[in-house]
Amino acid sequence: MSDNSDNNVAIRIDSLVKSFGSLQVLKEISTEIKRGEVVAMIGPSGSGKSTFLRCLNLLEMPTSGKIYIDGIEITNPKTDVMKMRQNVGMVFQHFHLFPHMTVLRNIMYAPMKVKQISEEKARQKASELLARVGLAEKANVYPSKLSGGQKQRVAIARALAMEPDIMLFDEPTSALDPEMVKEVLDVMKGVTESGMTMAVVTHEMGFAREVADRILFLDGGCIAEDATPDEFFTSPKSDRAKQFLEKIL
Amino acid sequence: MNLEIVEIISHYHLAEFNLDFARIAPSIPFILTGLVITLKFTLISAFFGFLWGTILSLFKISSLKPLYWFGLAYTSVFRGTPLLVQLSLIYFATPQLTGYNISGFEAGVITFSLNSGAYISEVIRAGILAIDKGQTEAAMSLGVTYRPMMIDVILPQAIKNILPALVNESIALLKDSALVSTIGAQDLLRRAQIVGAEKYVYFEPLLMVAVIYYLMVMILTVSSTILENRLRRSS
Ligand SMILES: Nc1ncnc2c1ncn2[C@@H]1O[C@H](COP(=O)(O)OP(=O)(O)OP(=O)(O)O)[C@@H](O)[C@H]1O
Ligand SMILES: [Mg+2]
């Protein structure tokens, strides 16, 4: 533990830079996310939201800068990345369920393999989670038989099964038919109520406004605005944010 | 066509070819023992070829440069030289280099495993690369490490997709297995040749083993088609 172990801070990001070749996608981003805080990240396409999120569990390796999770610098090559990832769940736009496993197996797999939890316990936990996302009756079905909304709810249950303290969502409803968006957002709302620290990239402004504690508006690889939902949606400070809101609201 | 002419022609042909399976009838069990050897040979080689091919395919997608280059060079050499040359090399070079008097069967299994490993590794590599990157990312995001991720998540999906190609590889292996007759293994073809030489009839035993090879290939082809259809329905 270092002097960065402020107990209220779940994630600290310090001058994060990410480049793909000569393209600098994230430009010295620094911020903190508090424990239990729900942060919505919004911004125009290509502004670096996904890249930012994916740096937080090192699916993308930052070019420079430091990221601390629970006070531990995960960008340090000596840090056990797999251990860190057990504590940081991620939900993807396109679900990425394991197609050759049943819904229940999808959820049981990582706890059994990674945490060495017994099959019995894993099954019980998975069933509870399935009930929690409203899909108890789909336990023995293969993912291909589910609707998009159902797939995403299973994906959320799969991530929750590792009992992470932090959850990352990358546009979890963008690939869904409109009538399925609500069921997924409702599940996510449920997750926020458990005190989970959440970073959510989303285009659902209603959700961001209602559920998030804080909005990060990204533009051109920088945090152009960091505000409460009320401030951001009623009186955005930057011109870019104003333009962005005009376009989508 | 005139019936009379047909009769004349067929009579002429029969007289010319004079197929006489009765003469080789006592040797049929001898030849069929060769079938067992051919099948054993093919199965063992396919098994080790598959294992070795899987390992090689992981080398070829590895970020470790030495493994990557080894996989690439290995495949290039084994695909770039005739199988018969590889077979002879291993059969004749092994005693010379190690003093071990290798049997034709052993030399065959080693050569065919090494050779089909090269081909299968290409198939599996393509199968792995065809799996959506999201699968890897989902596994990694759950804290699953490389090995279980490959074994439990990626390879089962990859192999399911490439099953038809793997069956084709086994068919090629089965047919190529006849090459071991050149180094004295008592396989189907070799036994047919032995019977031919003993009885001075070559056509009948060779025709018989050709039919047996064909039937085996057909069985594999048909079962692969059935398997494929079943897999398609299940996904
Ligand atoms: N693996 C990669 N290789 C090269 N360039 C990349 C890669 N990933 C992202 N980029 C580029 O980085 C920039 C930011 O991409 P990113 O996906 O983070 O944007 P985003 O804000 O999530 O956009 P969207 O709303 O469309 O999802 C884009 O210009 C993109 O083309
Ligand atoms: Mg994105």
Side-chain angles (χ1 to χ4, degrees):
Chain A
M1 286 276 167
S2 58
D3 52 337
N4 299 297
S5 56
D6 178 345
N7 256 338
N8 289 321
V9 178
I11 308 175
R12 202 183 115 202
I13 297 127
D14 192 2
S15 306
L16 173 64
V17 173
K18 175 66 187 177
S19 305
F20 293 106
S22 60
L23 177 70
Q24 196 177 54
V25 176
L26 301 178
K27 299 168 184 164
E28 301 235 358
I29 291 186
S30 297
T31 187
E32 282 181 356
I33 297 177
K34 299 236 160 14
R35 270 181 212 292
E37 196 173 31
V38 178
V39 177
M41 303 200 230
I42 59 183
S45 179
S47 57
K49 306 179 296 291
S50 297
T51 306
F52 182 46
L53 200 71
R54 290 160 56 82
C55 281
L56 299 183
N57 65 353
L58 298 187
L59 282 186
E60 298 291 356
M61 208 53 205
T63 307
S64 68
K66 290 176 177 171
I67 300 171
Y68 300 83
I69 289 183
D70 293 332
I72 297 168
E73 192 208 325
I74 63 165
T75 36
N76 183 333
K78 289 194 193 112
T79 306
D80 183 349
V81 176
M82 290 303 162
K83 189 102 194 151
M84 171 276 286
R85 286 189 181 136
Q86 293 177 34
N87 196 32
V88 182
M90 187 166 208
V91 173
F92 302 85
Q93 180 175 0
H94 295 288
F95 333 125
H96 302 320
L97 294 177
F98 305 133
H100 59 304
M101 298 182 193
T102 62
V103 163
L104 204 66
R105 284 277 158 194
N106 261 278
I107 304 173
M108 291 164 67
Y109 174 67
M112 282 174 64
K113 233 354 167 229
V114 179
K115 287 188 160 179
Q116 320 286 340
I117 284 170
S118 75
E119 171 150 4
E120 236 172 294
K121 275 207 183 124
R123 183 184 303 277
Q124 195 188 341
K125 172 98 198 161
S127 304
E128 279 170 30
L129 282 165
L130 265 187
R132 189 165 146 200
V133 300
L135 290 170
E137 79 284 0
K138 298 290 184 190
N140 297 312
V141 158
Y142 282 89
S144 59
K145 297 278 183 296
L146 301 179
S147 72
Q150 291 171 331
K151 280 183 192 160
Q152 196 60 298
R153 286 188 277 156
V154 173
I156 294 172
R158 179 178 67 175
L160 289 175
M162 289 299 286
E163 303 186 323
D165 295 325
I166 299 168
M167 285 278 280
L168 310 174
F169 295 80
D170 192 359
E171 301 199 29
T173 59
S174 295
L176 301 179
D177 293 337
E179 70 270 22
M180 292 168 185
V181 170
K182 188 177 176 302
E183 66 190 48
V184 171
L185 293 181
D186 284 346
V187 166
M188 289 170 61
K189 255 184 243 174
V191 177
T192 64
E193 280 152 21
S194 68
M196 182 78 70
T197 307
M198 287 168 55
V200 185
V201 174
T202 185
H203 290 302
E204 293 294 327
M205 294 305 141
F207 178 81
R209 190 163 192 169
E210 181 192 348
V211 178
D213 301 311
R214 185 172 151 212
I215 306 281
L216 287 183
F217 176 72
L218 268 74
D219 184 44
C222 302
I223 296 179
E225 201 142 342
D226 179 352
T228 66
D230 265 355
E231 285 168 358
F232 181 77
F233 287 106
T234 54
S235 50
K237 285 184 227 97
S238 66
D239 287 342
R240 289 294 287 136
K242 277 177 205 156
Q243 287 167 14
F244 177 78
L245 286 173
E246 264 165 33
K247 234 184 272 171
I248 58 166
L249 290 182
Chain B
M1 214 196 278
N2 191 313
L3 245 176
E4 216 170 306
I5 297 176
V6 173
E7 219 158 85
I8 292 169
I9 290 175
S10 58
H11 187 260
Y12 174 80
H13 270 108
L14 275 178
E16 184 79 346
F17 287 121
N18 195 16
L19 277 182
D20 187 1
F21 281 97
R23 265 179 78 187
I24 64 157
S27 307
I28 286 178
F30 175 74
I31 295 178
L32 287 180
T33 315
L35 172 60
V36 176
I37 291 173
T38 291
L39 282 178
K40 213 160 101 185
F41 177 83
T42 306
L43 275 177
I44 297 174
S45 304
F47 176 76
F48 285 113
F50 177 70
L51 277 189
W52 179 223
T54 308
I55 293 168
L56 276 175
S57 70
L58 295 177
F59 283 8
K60 285 196 271 191
I61 58 167
S62 170
S63 50
L64 292 174
K65 285 292 156 202
L67 292 185
Y68 171 78
W69 285 113
F70 172 80
L72 230 55
Y74 180 95
T75 309
S76 167
V77 168
F78 273 86
R79 298 213 302 185
T81 52
L83 184 51
L84 190 52
V85 172
Q86 296 163 19
L87 188 64
S88 313
L89 260 176
I90 287 182
Y91 183 59
F92 293 110
T94 303
Q96 191 186 329
L97 294 180
T98 66
Y100 175 67
N101 206 351
I102 196 167
S103 74
F105 187 85
E106 289 166 343
V109 166
I110 293 173
T111 312
F112 278 67
S113 302
L114 293 177
N115 181 278
S116 70
Y119 283 90
I120 289 175
S121 74
E122 274 303 291
V123 173
I124 297 181
R125 188 184 75 107
I128 291 174
L129 293 181
I131 302 295
D132 186 349
K133 217 169 117 254
Q135 292 290 307
T136 318
E137 294 189 344
M140 288 202 302
S141 76
L142 290 161
V144 179
T145 48
Y146 183 79
R147 234 174 121 96
M149 173 181 87
M150 274 297 162
I151 294 173
D152 302 327
V153 177
I154 305 299
L155 282 175
Q157 295 183 58
I159 287 168
K160 186 172 161 180
N161 291 341
I162 60 175
L163 217 49
L166 287 178
V167 174
N168 281 339
E169 196 51 48
S170 328
I171 290 174
L173 201 57
L174 176 67
K175 289 191 292 180
D176 289 344
S177 75
L179 283 175
V180 292
S181 62
T182 62
I183 54 169
Q186 298 264 319
D187 75 325
L188 204 50
L189 176 59
R190 181 86 190 109
R191 281 169 186 254
Q193 289 167 339
I194 291 172
V195 169
E198 272 172 6
K199 308 257 160 108
Y200 304 106
V201 281
Y202 289 95
F203 192 57
E204 290 85 348
L206 287 174
L207 185 63
M208 182 180 151
V209 299
V211 169
I212 294 176
Y213 278 117
Y214 183 70
L215 286 178
M216 288 193 296
V217 169
M218 278 305 112
I219 290 170
L220 273 174
T221 310
V222 169
S223 19
S224 122
T225 311
I226 293 171
L227 194 70
E228 226 178 299
N229 286 337
R230 200 174 279 177
L231 287 177
R232 195 170 303 139
R233 247 180 291 133
S234 80
S235 64

